[in-house]
Amino acid sequence: MKLSILLTAKANDSRISAAFEETIQHPDLDVAMGLTVTELAIQHKRVDLAYSGFRQLSVRFHNSPEFERIRVAHLELLLQQQKAQAARDLLSDVIRDQGSGKLLNVGERKKVHKMLWQQASTACEADQPLEALEWYDTSLRLFTREELDSVNAGKLQRNRASCFISMNDLES
């Protein structure tokens, strides 16, 4: 509440930062509340606070079953802010963890696929098929074995093929 009031009243940065830190570090904070606080920072265009919040939440809740929610929200912000390399780095961590059995749940994985396909679509519209292919390939790496036979996997392969055709790469 205090943070919301300070943000709405456009208080000075040091007071807002202190209130944000106090909230994020509160011992009773759970993942849902932490994500609400970072979303509040984003809504008030305090992206630097949101990034800080995601870092702190990731450390604090690294072993929580809800850790994936933090990563997906962080990824969404990175993509919204057009921080493609940082998003790719985060996705590499997610894919690495998936390889060791730490899977995103179905709902979070669907959100990530949707974000990646949106990035690929934007790249296609900008006539950047190689960029689009990279996003599609990342999405492909997030599919579980069971999902590889799904309709969405088929659509993904169709989209990848379109990228190869756009690049005149008919051998891949």
Side-chain angles (χ1 to χ4, degrees), residues 23-169:
T23 305
I24 285 290
Q25 294 175 8
H26 194 280
D28 295 331
L29 183 88
D30 62 10
V31 171
M33 183 57 74
L35 291 174
T36 299
V37 170
T38 56
E39 181 61 34
L40 184 62
I42 294 166
Q43 288 172 1
H44 288 273
K45 304 201 183 331
R46 300 298 183 121
V47 176
D48 54 328
L49 287 178
Y51 285 132
S52 172
F54 284 129
R55 280 190 298 276
Q56 292 180 60
L57 291 171
S58 292
V59 169
R60 182 171 176 178
F61 295 104
H62 185 74
N63 293 321
S64 167
E66 294 187 277
F67 176 62
E68 60 199 30
R69 290 180 55 205
I70 299 166
R71 290 171 111 175
V72 171
H74 188 186
L75 176 63
E76 185 173 22
L77 178 61
L78 290 169
L79 292 173
Q80 286 172 355
Q81 296 294 310
Q82 299 178 351
K83 306 254 184 222
Q85 188 55 53
R88 284 186 179 99
D89 293 344
L90 180 58
L91 286 162
S92 292
D93 292 343
V94 169
I95 291 166
R96 183 195 64 237
D97 288 351
Q98 181 171 292
S100 63
K102 217 175 173 183
L103 296 174
L104 291 174
N105 70 38
V106 174
E108 298 300 323
R109 205 165 45 250
K110 282 182 181 180
K111 287 180 194 175
V112 172
H113 283 302
K114 186 175 178 180
M115 286 185 260
L116 296 177
W117 287 30
Q118 180 58 50
Q119 292 299 309
S121 175
T122 300
C124 284
E125 290 170 7
D127 198 28
Q128 298 173 329
L130 185 57
E131 172 92 3
L133 185 60
E134 289 175 10
W135 291 115
Y136 286 133
D137 285 346
T138 301
S139 180
L140 182 61
R141 287 193 296 279
L142 285 171
F143 275 86
T144 63
R145 284 192 178 129
E146 296 78 24
E147 292 171 329
L148 286 174
D149 290 331
S150 71
V151 171
N152 284 336
K155 290 177 183 177
L156 175 62
Q157 294 295 7
R158 176 203 60 208
N159 294 347
R160 291 180 71 244
S162 293
C163 292
F164 286 117
I165 291 169
S166 293
M167 295 183 302
N168 291 320
D169 182 357

